[in-house]
Amino acid sequence: MSKAKRDKFGGRGQAVVYNDRALVWWRDARFGMFIHWGLYALPAGEWKGQAVPGIGEWLMHTARIPRAEYASLADNFKPEHFNAKEWVGYASQAGMKYLVVTSKHHDGFAMYDSKNNPYNVVHATPWKRDPLKDLAVACREAGIKFCIYYSQDQDWHDPDGACNDWDFDAAGKDFRAYLDRKVKPQLKELLTQYGPIGLIWFDTPYTISEKHSRELADYVRSLQPDCLVSGRIGHDLGDYGSLGDNQIPSGRVSGDYETPATMNDTWGYKTGDREWKSLSTLLHLLIDLAGKGINYLLNVGPTAKGLFPQESIDRLKGIGTWMNVNGEAIYGTQANPFPLDHDWGRITRKPGRLYFLFFHWPKDFFMLYGLRNKITSIRFLEDPSRKLSWRQFKATASGRDILEVSGFGGTPVLEYGVLGIDIEGDIDVDERLIQQPDGTLRLPMQLADIHGDPRDQLRFTSSGFTSGWTNKKIWLSWSCCIPEGGTFSIEVISACKHIELPPSGLHHRLRLEIGATRIVGTLKEDGIVDDPRTQYFPEHCTHIGSVNINPAENCMIKLRITEFTPAEEHSVLLSELRLIRLGK
Ligand code: FHN
């Protein structure tokens, strides 16, 4: 038997820590603003009167616009309302601690004063101003870390940059020449013209070699040793890991990770994109990510006039109102000490303190299993005068530690109320998989033990889903504590690689063994998991039966795939097994 690989993020930008000291501010920050601003804000998702599908900043690529034609957009770029102080003010008001702005996106157009390449905002537009200069100053004044996005691999304007195959023949490209002629000189400018830079946010390392990624990372560090390098430099050479766009794993992560995320669906401004997430959803995501120890880099796509969309402003203000009251539960915190996501909300922690961030505010009392530390005080952040009482005791049979908090009273004024809990000593929790106070037992795939050979085929994706499970000899098991027992509905949660891809996992045959009971079923997706987390990576649940389980201190649950659907052999993406107690 092999233990499941808990440190599962081998994928996109594994956090190999090169610069632990420089990561201190980044770990504390937890919340930043991403800004995608470039020539693409002018067409804003339309070309020659036609709406172009996809994200706004990819317009040139999606519509295969010849580079000279696209470049002529610069003639009309005159964002007279641009005001760096105002932009930074919005970030600051929202409680964001760093700001990452596009200096050159995949379209190759530099949004700063580049002496090395005339294809830039100062030389090629009638506006002739360098927005990065003002933003750097404004960030510094506001105490926000100024950071820069740079597309190191894709450059659809440069004949040797990656991914423009409509103007240039891929076979004739010389990436080395592109690095020397454009990328390195521009990185030098960016790292010498604007004072200290918090991090360079590299992106889409589609074609870059390991040697070249390393060379660029080293180059950044040689120019500014304290400047962090994002995980998307490629080849696991970043100082921290970058999860996929809008990706939120199903459990906490180990290591330093960030999720870049959109407020609607696009990054660069797009008039037709009205898919704005609600304030409530954005706060939910912020809390979910903080509970998993992941930074939230939330995007704004300003218009070609230099304005933030009103929808973004409204949401940033709403987030700021919440952060003013509850920010201490986000900044400088670490992930949930428990291995499981709780249904009621998330937990963050600092030395000597826990925060309970509630998605669902308790009616009158709240129960948590497994916290061993003695609690010395409980404070409702929104209203510290509210008197909350608590008791801690051990359950007689299972010996599990139980916390009961009461005195919740009415719902918080701000959605997602938070409790600050002072504890004695270093955090100490029972990490067993325990049936929760509401009767539910959740068994995430990534916390299973893997059995059988060849065991290395099965791994977990960066979201915590099974992947590469193609062998019937491999099976998973969880050892768990079911102190109350009951009759349970059994749901298998299957996942999708991305919303744009077909569902994976349908029709596989499963067998579940709970003690001596065997249940067989077929993955068929009876319902969709309704959670802000799964918006871009949908999850479905299949009800595979019901079962009675007697109270058990140590119950072994086993899962096997007994038949693989041939066409989908390589995509048994499972997220979780959920045992939902029926009745009481
Ligand atoms: O292709 C880009 C995209 O335009 C955007 O910049 C996002 C932000 O994370 N990164 C790439 C896709 O992952």
Side-chain angles (χ1 to χ4, degrees):
M1 184 188 82
S2 72
K3 271 273 176 220
K5 268 169 70 189
R6 301 272 152 101
D7 189 10
K8 54 194 183 296
F9 292 91
R12 204 167 183 174
Q14 167 83 28
V16 175
V17 176
Y18 291 91
N19 206 340
D20 209 41
R21 190 170 52 93
L23 273 167
V24 171
W25 72 262
W26 184 89
R27 288 183 182 132
D28 273 2
R30 279 282 171 260
F31 187 33
M33 177 179 279
F34 215 167
I35 297 180
H36 277 69
W37 199 41
L39 293 182
Y40 40 79
L42 268 169
E46 282 183 19
W47 195 247
K48 302 194 168 154
Q50 297 291 312
V52 177
I55 43 183
E57 71 286 2
W58 270 71
L59 181 114
M60 177 180 176
H61 190 278
T62 314
R64 298 173 82 76
I65 302 171
R67 73 167 199 155
E69 215 178 309
Y70 184 87
S72 69
L73 285 171
D75 301 342
N76 294 311
F77 192 75
K78 203 164 185 290
E80 61 263 24
H81 297 300
F82 170 74
N83 181 332
K85 272 200 169 166
E86 212 169 87
W87 286 15
V88 172
Y90 290 131
S92 179
Q93 224 184 327
M96 290 155 154
K97 299 291 184 192
Y98 60 116
L99 184 147
V100 185
V101 60
T102 45
S103 67
K104 184 200 81 156
H105 202 265
H106 311 327
D107 65 0
F109 188 74
M111 288 296 288
Y112 75 97
D113 186 9
S114 175
K115 305 282 187 289
N116 282 286
N117 189 307
Y119 192 48
N120 73 69
V121 67
V122 174
H123 291 81
T125 74
W127 192 46
K128 298 194 184 312
R129 278 178 57 189
D130 179 346
L132 261 58
K133 205 167 146 212
D134 293 1
L135 283 167
V137 172
C139 279
R140 219 144 283 138
E141 282 172 7
I144 287 185
K145 281 272 181 192
F146 181 62
C147 309
I148 291 174
Y149 173 106
Y150 190 89
S151 175
Q152 80 282 21
D153 189 1
Q154 293 197 71
D155 189 313
W156 309 324
H157 186 80
D158 192 286
D160 294 311
C163 296
N164 180 341
D165 58 4
W166 58 98
D167 286 308
F168 311 110
D169 178 7
K173 292 192 184 209
D174 180 351
F175 195 75
R176 173 79 258 163
Y178 158 68
L179 286 185
D180 291 338
R181 186 182 57 248
K182 188 164 185 182
V183 178
K184 288 180 80 174
Q186 290 202 326
L187 284 175
K188 184 163 190 185
E189 290 171 339
L190 291 166
L191 287 153
T192 52
Q193 287 177 188
Y194 304 96
I197 305 299
L199 62 90
I200 302 278
W201 216 96
F202 292 108
D203 201 3
T204 61
Y206 292 165
T207 71
I208 194 167
S209 67
E210 178 167 355
K211 181 168 161 263
H212 290 152
S213 288
R214 190 180 298 282
E215 181 179 328
L216 292 185
D218 288 348
Y219 191 56
V220 170
R221 293 175 185 128
S222 74
L223 290 162
Q224 284 204 27
D226 282 341
C227 178
L228 297 170
V229 171
S230 83
R232 296 197 193 177
I233 183 67
H235 305 282
D236 300 345
L237 291 167
D239 291 302
Y240 66 87
S242 178
L243 293 173
D245 297 348
N246 291 304
Q247 185 191 0
I248 301 175
S250 71
R252 68 182 180 187
V253 301
S254 58
D256 297 299
Y257 284 90
E258 176 188 67
T259 291
T262 49
M263 275 202 210
N264 43 0
D265 287 336
T266 185
W267 302 86
Y269 180 69
K270 193 174 171 185
T271 340
D273 185 343
R274 313 300 308 156
E275 298 297 318
W276 297 97
K277 294 170 189 68
S278 65
L279 169 62
S280 170
T281 296
L282 297 175
L283 285 172
H284 191 290
L285 295 173
L286 170 68
I287 291 168
D288 195 1
L289 286 165
K292 290 164 179 168
I294 302 168
N295 279 17
Y296 187 32
L297 185 62
L298 181 59
N299 184 69
V300 177
T303 68
K305 293 273 168 231
L307 294 170
F308 276 18
Q310 190 57 44
E311 291 84 352
S312 300
I313 296 173
D314 295 344
R315 283 157 182 77
L316 291 169
K317 285 188 176 158
I319 295 174
T321 305
W322 188 89
M323 286 294 267
N324 271 337
V325 173
N326 299 304
E328 64 167 278
I330 304 287
Y331 304 127
T333 59
Q334 288 176 287
N336 184 8
F338 293 93
L340 276 181
D341 286 351
H342 294 97
D343 285 337
W344 54 263
R346 294 288 173 268
I347 301 178
T348 59
R349 69 187 157 111
K350 287 177 184 167
R353 184 168 298 166
L354 295 173
Y355 294 98
F356 296 173
L357 302 96
F358 289 92
F359 292 147
H360 311 288
W361 191 245
K363 277 213 169 52
D364 36 24
F365 83 101
F366 166 73
M367 245 189 181
L368 179 80
Y369 293 161
L371 176 64
R372 297 195 178 112
N373 301 79
K374 184 175 183 306
I375 291 176
T376 55
S377 78
I378 299 188
R379 180 170 47 101
F380 175 33
L381 301 197
E382 184 183 291
D383 177 9
S385 71
R386 190 175 295 183
K387 197 119 194 69
L388 288 151
S389 49
W390 71 94
R391 69 186 185 110
Q392 290 181 277
F393 56 99
K394 271 196 189 298
T396 28
S398 67
R400 69 195 187 283
D401 297 81
I402 301 178
L403 163 68
E404 249 182 38
V405 186
S406 49
F408 281 88
T411 47
V413 174
L414 297 173
E415 199 178 5
Y416 309 129
V418 179
L419 298 185
I421 321 263
D422 287 324
I423 54 171
E424 274 180 5
D426 293 340
I427 185 72
D428 182 14
V429 301
D430 182 347
E431 294 211 38
R432 284 179 301 169
L433 297 167
I434 306 182
Q435 180 184 20
Q436 293 299 298
D438 66 358
T440 308
L441 177 66
R442 294 179 64 172
L443 303 173
M445 293 294 147
Q446 57 180 313
L447 297 182
D449 290 325
I450 306 174
H451 308 258
D453 281 322
R455 62 193 60 164
D456 59 351
Q457 280 188 12
L458 174 60
R459 59 177 193 88
F460 297 106
T461 68
S462 54
S463 281
F465 308 147
T466 58
S467 167
W469 193 354
T470 58
N471 188 329
K472 287 186 207 166
K473 288 188 186 143
I474 295 186
W475 52 282
L476 301 182
S477 77
W478 297 262
S479 141
C480 46
C481 172
I482 309 185
E484 290 166 15
T487 304
F488 297 85
S489 162
I490 301 191
E491 319 278 337
V492 179
I493 313 296
S494 52
C496 224
K497 281 213 175 93
H498 195 268
I499 191 157
E500 285 157 13
L501 299 169
S504 34
L506 277 180
H507 312 311
H508 298 296
R509 298 276 297 160
L510 312 169
R511 187 171 80 219
L512 202 63
E513 294 170 28
I514 304 175
T517 310
R518 292 182 171 204
I519 302 166
V520 293
T522 302
L523 276 181
K524 54 189 186 304
E525 302 186 350
D526 299 315
I528 189 141
V529 174
D530 183 16
D531 189 310
R533 182 177 73 76
T534 56
Q535 183 178 350
Y536 294 89
F537 301 87
E539 292 181 19
H540 296 87
C541 61
T542 301
H543 170 73
I544 61 161
S546 300
V547 65
N548 278 315
I549 308 179
N550 292 327
E553 265 319 285
N554 202 346
C555 176
M556 176 77 107
I557 299 187
K558 300 175 184 171
L559 176 68
R560 297 172 197 270
I561 309 269
T562 52
E563 216 176 291
F564 290 95
T565 312
E568 293 187 286
E569 266 195 357
H570 297 278
S571 52
V572 194
L573 279 183
L574 299 184
S575 161
E576 186 175 307
L577 204 60
R578 219 169 268 180
L579 281 71
I580 300 163
R581 193 174 56 191
L582 303 167
K584 171 89 187 167

